[in-house]
Structure formats: C-alpha cells, structure tokens
Amino acid sequence: AQSVTQPDIHITVSEGASLELRCNYSYGATPYLFWYVQSPGQGLQLLLKYFSGDTLVQGIKGFEAEFKRSQSSFNLRKPSVHWSDAAEYFCAAGGNKLVFGAGTILRVKS
Amino acid sequence: NAGVTQTPKFRILKIGQSMTLQCTQDMNHNYMYWYRQDPGMGLKLIYYSVGAGITDKGEVPNGYNVSRSTTEDFPLRLELAAPSQTSVYFCASSQIQSNYGYTFGSGTRLTVV
C-alpha cells in the first residue's frame, strides 16, 4: 500500500537555526512528491514539488527539498528559520491521488 | 481568481442530521478531491472526481456521498451525521497533469454532537 511517513510529530528549533523535516514514502514507482505548509486555521499551501530531473528542488519562502531515490526520502530543509515559519508541514506523494503524511508541527523559539 | 471556495467555514450538527459541504473552483480544473483532516492523522481522501459525471471512492468514503454535475462544483453530502465525522474537511482541485499539485480550499470545520 502507498504510504508517506513523517517520523517527527513535533520539532522545535531556535530562530535562525537550520531546519530539516523528514519524509519517507512507499510507492510502486517514483511518485510525484510535494511539501505543503498549513498555518493554524488555514488551508494547505504548496511549498515545493518534485516530479523529475534535478533531485534538489527549490520552493517558496526559502525552503528546499532533496529527493533520494535510494532512501525513498524527500526531506525538507531551510538554512535559517524565521518565527513566521511556525506551522504544520505535510509531505505528500502520489500521482493523481495524493497520499499525505501525518504532519510535523514546527515550533520556533526566540 | 477565487481559487477553491468552501462553504460553510464552521458548522455544528446534531447526530443523525444531514448536510452538504459546498466546494467550487474557478480554475477549470478537471480533478477535484475531498479530504478530511484529523489531529495527528494527516489528510485522508474521502472521494475524488476526474471530471464532470465521474466520481470514485477514496480511502475513507463511508458515511459520505458526492456528485459532480459540473466542472466547477463538487459537493460532499453527509446523510446521517455521526460523532466520528467531526473533523476538518478540505476540498482541493488540480489540473490533469498532477505534477502541478493541488490547490486547497480554506476548509470546513464540522462538529457533530
């Protein structure tokens, strides 16, 4: 069965520190891969996506993600976190139907 | 562009009542989806549609029904509300080429008491 695993339910980082959110997927073939962000009470906003080509993809708000086929991973990174990055982050994988991970809540401490 | 519009934003239902969650998109997207979001569970697919007149079940369809009479609209129907349907519901749409990702509505928070 197709699945997406986000191992970390909560992560707390200091403002200005680097960030990495983990995502692993289980899929029959290399799926399309996405990261979304959700602020409290809001819908989901697309941060970035991967479907082919360069394995390091750039997104909005200074985020990037690296696709590693050998590890079935698509980890999200940011070099320097801002307080406004505090939100819940979802990894998703699939074709025309996306499967979402359970989400990682990011807290930023000043 | 309004994108994906969901109504209502909040609703409280009594057990056994019925209601329809509305979803409209103005991007001429063929694909539309309904997900429910529960704390710590991520988003689970309820139903989806690949075009007007075509719908199919997702991972958690029990207790729900959908219809797709136009490209723009994809309402979700709850016939006999149960406490287990307390959740946040999101409608989304996408182009045929799904590598563009989804556009999400702002959600409907439903409480069944």
Side-chain angles (χ1 to χ4, degrees):
Chain A
Q2 301 154 3
S3 65
V4 175
T5 302
Q6 294 180 244
D8 304 304
I9 299 174
H10 298 97
I11 283 186
T12 301
V13 299
S14 298
E15 191 169 16
S18 63
L19 170 70
E20 183 171 30
L21 301 182
R22 296 182 290 163
C23 173
N24 293 94
Y25 65 90
S26 173
Y27 209 81
T30 299
Y32 298 139
L33 295 163
F34 303 86
W35 276 99
Y36 287 87
V37 61
Q38 184 182 34
S39 298
Q42 303 297 313
L44 279 74
Q45 180 184 20
L46 180 65
L47 279 177
L48 47 77
K49 60 194 177 191
Y50 171 81
F51 49 91
S52 66
D54 193 349
T55 57
L56 184 64
V57 293
Q58 304 296 320
I60 62 172
K61 304 184 181 186
F63 285 92
E64 66 179 27
E66 185 173 15
F67 168 63
K68 293 185 177 180
R69 184 189 307 273
S70 61
Q71 299 176 17
S72 296
S73 69
F74 188 56
N75 294 349
L76 182 71
R77 302 195 293 246
K78 187 170 185 178
S80 177
V81 169
H82 188 263
W83 64 266
S84 61
D85 294 323
E88 189 163 15
Y89 292 80
F90 292 94
C91 181
N96 291 326
K97 294 182 294 178
L98 292 184
V99 176
F100 285 81
T104 298
I105 297 172
L106 173 64
R107 299 188 179 115
V108 181
K109 59 181 181 180
S110 55
Chain B
N1 274 348
V4 178
T5 302
Q6 290 184 240
T7 56
K9 293 190 181 302
F10 304 94
R11 184 72 185 268
I12 299 175
L13 277 183
K14 294 184 178 179
I15 294 171
Q17 286 185 322
S18 62
M19 77 163 294
T20 299
L21 282 66
Q22 301 291 344
C23 176
T24 299
Q25 54 93 7
D26 63 358
M27 298 170 287
N28 203 31
H29 286 173
N30 280 301
Y31 287 64
M32 295 188 74
Y33 312 85
W34 275 105
Y35 284 85
R36 59 176 288 171
Q37 182 183 26
D38 301 296
M41 302 294 290
L43 281 78
K44 302 294 185 184
L45 181 64
I46 304 171
Y47 271 95
Y48 68 101
S49 169
V50 301
I54 306 170
T55 62
D56 207 349
K57 297 177 180 179
E59 185 179 1
V60 290
N62 292 343
Y64 307 94
N65 278 299
V66 294
S67 60
R68 185 93 182 271
S69 57
T70 67
T71 299
E72 295 78 18
D73 300 309
F74 191 42
L76 178 71
R77 179 82 176 165
L78 284 72
E79 291 293 349
L80 292 170
S84 60
Q85 294 177 304
T86 294
S87 188
V88 181
Y89 292 84
F90 286 100
C91 179
S93 70
S94 69
Q95 299 181 4
I96 291 177
Q97 298 93 336
S98 57
N99 57 351
Y100 286 95
Y102 291 1
T103 299
F104 280 88
S106 58
T108 295
R109 183 173 295 275
L110 176 66
T111 303
V112 182
V113 296

